[in-house]
């Protein structure tokens, strides 16, 4: 059976179980493709409400929660079965410069499936990783090394410690506020190179797949492009004498 059909069948099965048993059920962490597929299912085909969350605002990988009507009031106050772990070197002086790929590789090498892991935020002195609550103790006990650096992992109680995203501000003028134009400006590429990304299903706006080059993003939209990165469209600030639009983007670095 086609993977998309299987995925939709699994989602509808979870929704029906939540409805029939009058309980809240959760998925594992979902990627942008999977989140889009959930959001694309007509609400009338699901007997419960669906909410998603990844542990912090702007999380890319998120869990979906299926809430029966009697529990839908929980909404934003719902507690998801996820934990934020802080991973840091035991000897900062001798630690390597580790990347997102290094941390992810070390976690996967423990035998963990990617669906058990949410976003990994890399800071100056370590990283913060979101994982399923049921796997947090396993990670804390078994993650002792990332590349050649000895590390420790422990749950984070105060998420105020999370590293703040770093942005590169990009200002420019564009002929119109279209998705393909903004992507070309954000990544410094020609529109001819950007269009295949959009048409190939690699571009998401606020977690939803967009395949139209002429889509008009709204101020505050988070735009993600697989294998390239993501940025915030801050908005437009007037026109030039030649009729071009001044825009501001904040690209994650």
């Amino acid at each position: 059976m086609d993977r998309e059909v299987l995925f939709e069948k699994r989602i509808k099965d979870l929704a029906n179980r939540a409805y029939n048993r009058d309980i809240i059920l959760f998925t594992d962490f979902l990627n942008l493709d999977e989140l889009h597929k959930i959001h694309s299912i007509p609400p009338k085909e699901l007997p419960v409400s669906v909410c998603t969350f990844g542990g912090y605002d702007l999380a890319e990988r998120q869990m979906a929660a299926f809430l029966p009507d009697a529990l839908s009031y929980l909404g934003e106050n719902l507690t998801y079965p996820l934990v934020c772990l802080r991973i840091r070197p035991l000897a900062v002086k001798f630690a390597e410069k580790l990347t997102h790929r290094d941390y992810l590789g070390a976690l996967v090498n423990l035998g963990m499936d990617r669906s058990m892991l949410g976003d990994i935020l890399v800071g100056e002195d370590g990283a913060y990783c979101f994982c399923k609550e049921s796997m947090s103790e396993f990670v804390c006990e078994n993650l002792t090394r990332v590349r050649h650096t000895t590390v420790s992992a422990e749950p984070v109680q105060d998420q105020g410690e999370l590293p703040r995203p770093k942005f590169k501000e990009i200002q420019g003028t564009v002929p119109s506020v279209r998705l393909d134009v903004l992507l070309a400006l954000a990544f410094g590429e020609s529109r001819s190179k950007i269009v295949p990304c959009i048409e190939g299903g690699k571009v998401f706006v606020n977690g939803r797949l967009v395949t139209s080059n002429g889509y008009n993003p709204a101020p505050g939209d988070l735009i993600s492009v697989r294998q390239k990165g993501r940025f915030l469209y801050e908005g437009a600030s007037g026109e030039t004498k030649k009729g071009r639009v001044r825009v501001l983007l904040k690209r994650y670095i």
Side-chain angles (χ1 to χ4, degrees), residues 6-43:
L6 279 173
F7 178 79
E8 184 172 330
K9 184 176 183 298
R10 180 162 60 90
I11 293 304
K12 289 182 176 180
D13 179 59
L14 279 172
N16 287 325
R17 284 167 51 199
Y19 174 78
N20 292 329
R21 297 169 60 187
D22 205 27
I23 59 173
I24 300 173
L25 293 177
F26 300 89
T27 64
D28 295 337
F29 284 99
L30 305 173
N31 59 33
L32 286 172
D33 280 326
E34 294 165 331
L35 288 167
H36 169 71
K37 289 168 187 170
I38 285 183
H39 292 312
S40 297
I41 299 175

Side-chain angles (χ1 to χ4, degrees), residues 42-63:
K44 64 181 180 181
E45 294 186 14
L46 299 177
V48 294
S49 301
V50 181
C51 301
T52 59
F53 184 59
Y56 71 106
D57 292 341
L58 302 180
E60 189 164 286
R61 296 179 62 81
Q62 301 182 28
M63 289 180 170

Side-chain angles (χ1 to χ4, degrees), residues 181-200:
V181 174
L182 294 183
L183 291 179
L185 176 63
F187 299 108
E189 297 184 359
S190 66
R191 288 170 65 184
S192 62
K193 287 187 176 180
I194 288 298
V195 168
C197 294
I198 301 173
E199 296 178 345

Side-chain angles (χ1 to χ4, degrees), residues 215-253:
Y215 178 85
N216 298 122
D221 279 353
L222 176 63
I223 301 171
S224 302
V225 185
R226 294 162 85 188
Q227 300 175 334
K228 288 186 181 293
R230 54 182 178 162
F231 64 92
L232 283 169
Y233 169 51
E234 289 288 284
S237 59
E239 295 185 358
T240 67
K241 292 181 180 180
K242 295 184 177 181
R244 293 176 65 85
V245 184
R246 297 188 185 92
V247 295
L248 173 63
L249 313 177
K250 287 187 176 180
R251 181 178 170 183
Y252 285 73
I253 57 175

